[in-house]
Each structure stands twice: as C-alpha cells, then as structure tokens.
C-alpha cells in the first residue's frame, strides 16, 4: 500500500494544484453571470485524463515502445503554455474586473488554462495509471488482501493530492488575493521548470551537441525533482502567512457603531483564517513526510548483482548452458556501438527453456530486475515477473530480443542488442 501511495501522490499533486490555482484565479461570476468559457478548464481535465489513459494503455500493451516520440512535442507546447498560464494568473485581477467589457480576454485566459491542465495531466498521469498493472502479481488470484491494499494505496494517493489542493484552496477567502496569486504563479513556474527539464532531457539524449551551459542545470533539476515537488506545496506558505496576519488584524471586540452581528462575523473570519493556514501547514508536512520518510521506506531494495563474464567475438555473444542452468537470475553487460552500456538477463525457466531479455522494460525503463525468494522482481515498481512470460513483450516483462540455443550454448548477435540501446539512454 505504501509503495502505491508514494508513487501516486507526487505524480498527481502538480495537476491537482494547477487545477486549483486556475480555478481560484480565473473564476468569476455566479449562475448565469459567467463567461461561456468557464467550463473550458473542466473540459481540459476530461481531455487530459482520457488522453493519458489511452497513452498509458498503448504503453502497457507495447503498441508505443518509445514514449519520447509523444512526450517531446507535448512538452514543447507545455513549456510555452505554462508561461502563458503564469501570465494569465498574474493578470487575473485586471482580466476579471469588468470582464464583460473584454470577454475575449476572459475566453483567452480560460483557453490557456484549459490547455495547461490538459497537457499537464497528459504528461503526468500515464506513469500513475501504469501503477494499475501491478495490483495483481503473477500467480495471485484477482481478489487478495495484497491487491486490495495496493488499490487502497493508489486511491489514497490520488485522494491525498486532491485534499491538499482543497485545503490550500480554503485560503482564497482569508488571505490577501495578491498573496494567493503569487503562490499560484510560483507553483506554475516550478511546473514549467519540471516540463522544461523533461524536454531538455529528451533533447540531450538525442543530440550530439547539447549546450554545456544547460547541462549542469539539467542535472541539478533531475536530481532534485522531489525538492521541486515540495516547493510546489511550500509556496503556499505565502497565503498561509497572509491569512494568519489578516485574521489577527481583524478586530474581534465591539467598535463604536458596530453591532453584535458584525463582531460575530469578524470572529468567524479570524477562526477561518487561522484554521485554513494551520491546515495548510499540516498538508505541507504531509507532503514532506511522503517524499522523505515514505520514499526512504520503499526504496530499501537490493542493489543489482554485478554482471557476469561471457565470450564476445566477431559480433556474437556466447553463454554456455552450464553457466545459467541453475534456475537463478544471471546478468550480463554489453557496450553498444553508440557507446551505451546495456544489460541483459538470462534465467532457466521451469520447463527447461530460457528466459532472455534486456534488463529493462517498457514501463519502468532500465531500473533492472533482481531475484528474491525465487521470484524475479522489477526494482522500480516491485512487481514480480511471471517466469513463463519472460521473453514475451508487454507489461513489466524484460524487453525481448532474438537469440539462438544449441550445441550447449546461447548465442546472441550484438547487432540485435545495438538496435535496442535506446532503452538504456
């Protein structure tokens, strides 16, 4: 359950906060006194979610093998739309004021917000949705206590992100509006940095002339992704402090000319202001514990075993049966022609056949596999691989490649490995 929660909550927090921020900064009017574009952000949520589900399904079934083919154009548009969304948030007081006199500007802001939401959901949710593929481990029945705990962790992760966003949203009525707009703009700017990091990572992997001036910031951003997620929550300290200040500045003692009803309203406002700020601090602490204590607890996985030696001659790798016939996982390393260091694994299956594939999968990349209690387990998602399916495409199975068996040995043409080096880049 904890693994699912820690995997899901950080992945859904940014989209939840973005939807909340745009809702607070761009909502205007009540009932019929709303622009026709006020539902566009909801359509953005639906479009982004449906597209993410479709994309995740295509990845899970290996219809799409390289997600960068889709993510690169998505992120290219996203970094531009993020900046436009920040501009819309900052300009929201002027956009919302007398919006009927410049409806086109209101529609433009809502359109930008809808597009930002759709792109963010489409980029963030597939990895979250793919967690569904590990609810039931091979050999388990569909309904077990372990499966139910994983499902509960998944749902709690999504629920926690929504609750955190909802708690922060309560400060819209108690904090100075400028403080909330500042927090919303900063949160979206951090989201922009995350999208820019993903885009630069793709460009760097496929470019021989990546500018050195961008390399160090890229490495820093990749290595500090959790800190950036924390920062997205902690920027709401700004409205939290403003909320507390506004609460304590409110007079709760009767002033000249004030009636009891006014005094009660002031007292109620102070209580709401302090409560919303305190609950926001609790939410920030919860996010912090998830990304520190929670991740530390689930990341206690064994390191990958060292690669074994084998014969490599004239473009052919040769591994004798005697080296891999004990039924345990054996890992090998190969340096492709493009310089990429690759790994592949071999294990003798129960029927006497050999399970052979890359030490990587379509869902979790090159995290690799390890052996525990007779099971082969993906290091990243902790799913146990059905030995019978090793050598077949799909899910969290090792990515297969051609090989031959005979004369007491396994032979692999290195050209087949070279063609798959992208999985380790």
């Amino acid at each position: 359950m904890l693994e699912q929660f820690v995997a899901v909550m950080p992945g859904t927090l940014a989209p939840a906060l973005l939807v909340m921020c745009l809702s607070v900064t761009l909502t205007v009017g009540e009932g019929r006194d709303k622009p026709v574009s006020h539902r566009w952000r909801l359509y953005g949520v639906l479009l982004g979610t449906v597209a993410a589900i479709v994309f995740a399904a295509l990845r899970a079934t290996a219809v799409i093998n390289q997600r960068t083919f889709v993510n690169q154009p998505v992120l290219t548009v996203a970094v531009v739309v993020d900046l436009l969304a920040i501009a819309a948030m900052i300009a929201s007081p002027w956009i919302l004021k007398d919006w009927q006199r410049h409806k086109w500007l209101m529609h433009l802001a809502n359109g930008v917000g809808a597009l930002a939401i759709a792109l963010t959901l489409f980029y963030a949710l597939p990895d979250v949705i793919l967690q569904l593929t590990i609810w039931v481990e091979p050999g388990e029945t569909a309904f077990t206590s372990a499966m139910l705990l994983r499902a509960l962790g998944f749902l709690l992760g999504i629920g926690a992100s929504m609750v955190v966003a909802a708690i922060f949203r309560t400060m819209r009525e108690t904090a100075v509006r400028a403080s909330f707009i500042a927090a919303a703009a900063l949160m979206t700017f951090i989201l922009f940095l995350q999208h820019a990091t993903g885009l630069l990572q793709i460009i760097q992997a496929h470019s021989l002339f990546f500018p050195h001036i961008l390399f160090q910031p890229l490495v820093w951003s990749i290595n500090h992704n959790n800190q950036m997620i924390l920062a997205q929550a902690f920027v709401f300290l700004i409205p939290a402090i403003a909320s507390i200040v506004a609460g304590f500045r409110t007079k709760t003692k009767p002033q000249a000319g004030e009636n009891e009803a006014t005094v009660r309203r002031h007292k109620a406002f102070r209580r709401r202001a302090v409560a919303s700020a305190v609950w926001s601090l609790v939410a920030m602490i919860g996010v912090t514990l998830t990304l520190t204590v929670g991740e530390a607890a689930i990341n206690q996985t064994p390191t990958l075993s060292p690669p074994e030696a084998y014969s490599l001659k004239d473009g052919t790798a040769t591994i004798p049966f005697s080296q891999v016939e004990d039924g345990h996982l054996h890992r090998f390393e190969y340096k492709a022609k493009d310089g990429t260091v690759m790994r592949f694994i071999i294990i003798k299956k129960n029927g006497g056949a050999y399970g052979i594939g890359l030490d990587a999968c379509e869902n979790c990349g090159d995290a690799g596999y390890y052996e525990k209690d007779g099971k082969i387990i993906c290091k990243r998602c902790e799913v146990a691989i059905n030995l019978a399916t090793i050598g077949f495409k799909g899910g969290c199975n090792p990515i297969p490649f051609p090989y031959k068996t005979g004369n007491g040995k396994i032979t692999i043409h290195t050209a087949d490995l070279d063609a798959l080096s992208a999985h380790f880049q």
Side-chain angles (χ1 to χ4, degrees), residues 84-150:
L84 293 176
I86 293 171
M89 291 176 184
I90 294 173
S92 61
W94 295 275
I95 295 174
L96 270 58
K97 185 178 181 181
D98 297 328
W99 65 269
Q100 291 181 338
R101 294 184 178 181
H102 44 259
K103 294 182 180 180
W104 68 270
L105 193 57
M106 189 75 243
H107 300 332
L108 179 62
N110 279 326
V112 168
L115 188 57
I117 291 170
L119 291 170
T120 299
L121 286 168
F122 179 75
Y123 179 68
L125 288 190
D127 287 338
V128 172
I129 295 169
L130 286 172
Q131 294 294 318
L132 297 171
T133 63
I134 63 173
W135 280 11
V136 180
E137 292 189 1
E140 287 185 351
T141 58
F143 296 100
T144 64
S145 58
M147 184 279 289
L148 292 176
L149 286 175
R150 295 186 194 109

Side-chain angles (χ1 to χ4, degrees), residues 16-248:
L17 291 178
L18 179 64
V19 172
M20 181 274 295
C21 288
L22 289 168
S23 173
V24 171
T25 56
L26 296 182
T27 295
V28 62
E30 295 181 1
R32 295 182 178 180
D33 187 28
K34 285 187 176 184
V36 295
S37 60
H38 78 279
R39 293 186 180 275
W40 291 359
R41 296 190 304 276
L42 174 60
Y43 298 153
V45 172
L46 297 176
L47 177 62
T49 302
V50 171
I53 292 172
V54 172
F55 185 40
L58 293 176
R59 283 175 53 188
T61 55
V63 174
I64 294 180
N65 293 328
Q66 295 296 323
R67 57 183 176 178
T68 57
F69 175 76
V70 175
N71 283 346
Q72 185 167 2
V74 168
L75 289 173
T76 301
V77 177
V79 295
V80 176
V81 174
D82 288 341
L83 295 177
L84 293 176
I86 293 171
M89 291 176 184
I90 294 173
S92 61
W94 295 275
I95 295 174
L96 270 58
K97 185 178 181 181
D98 297 328
W99 65 269
Q100 291 181 338
R101 294 184 178 181
H102 44 259
K103 294 182 180 180
W104 68 270
L105 193 57
M106 189 75 243
H107 300 332
L108 179 62
N110 279 326
V112 168
L115 188 57
I117 291 170
L119 291 170
T120 299
L121 286 168
F122 179 75
Y123 179 68
L125 288 190
D127 287 338
V128 172
I129 295 169
L130 286 172
Q131 294 294 318
L132 297 171
T133 63
I134 63 173
W135 280 11
V136 180
E137 292 189 1
E140 287 185 351
T141 58
F143 296 100
T144 64
S145 58
M147 184 279 289
L148 292 176
L149 286 175
R150 295 186 194 109
L152 180 60
F154 183 91
L155 295 175
L156 286 176
I158 296 175
S161 295
M162 297 174 67
V163 168
V164 169
I167 290 174
F168 290 160
R169 191 175 188 273
T170 61
M171 295 187 291
R172 74 194 187 283
E173 297 177 349
T174 57
V176 177
R177 184 171 178 82
S179 68
F180 202 101
I181 291 174
L186 285 172
M187 194 288 302
T188 310
F189 180 72
I190 296 170
L191 179 63
F192 160 77
L193 293 179
Q194 290 176 314
H195 287 162
T197 297
L199 179 60
L200 290 174
Q201 198 171 2
I202 294 172
I203 295 173
Q204 189 271 338
H206 297 86
S207 175
L208 297 177
F209 303 102
F210 189 76
H212 182 73
I213 193 173
L214 293 176
F215 186 74
Q216 291 301 326
L218 175 61
V219 172
W220 184 92
S221 182
I222 293 172
N223 292 336
H224 293 81
N225 184 59
N226 279 359
Q227 287 84 342
M228 294 176 75
I229 297 174
L230 284 175
Q232 287 176 318
F234 273 87
V235 295
F236 288 92
L237 275 174
I238 300 172
I241 293 172
S243 186
I244 292 175
V245 171
F248 281 102

Side-chain angles (χ1 to χ4, degrees), residues 294-309:
E295 285 218 347
I298 67 170
N299 286 334
Q300 296 177 352
T301 55
T303 57
L304 299 181
S305 59
E308 302 179 19

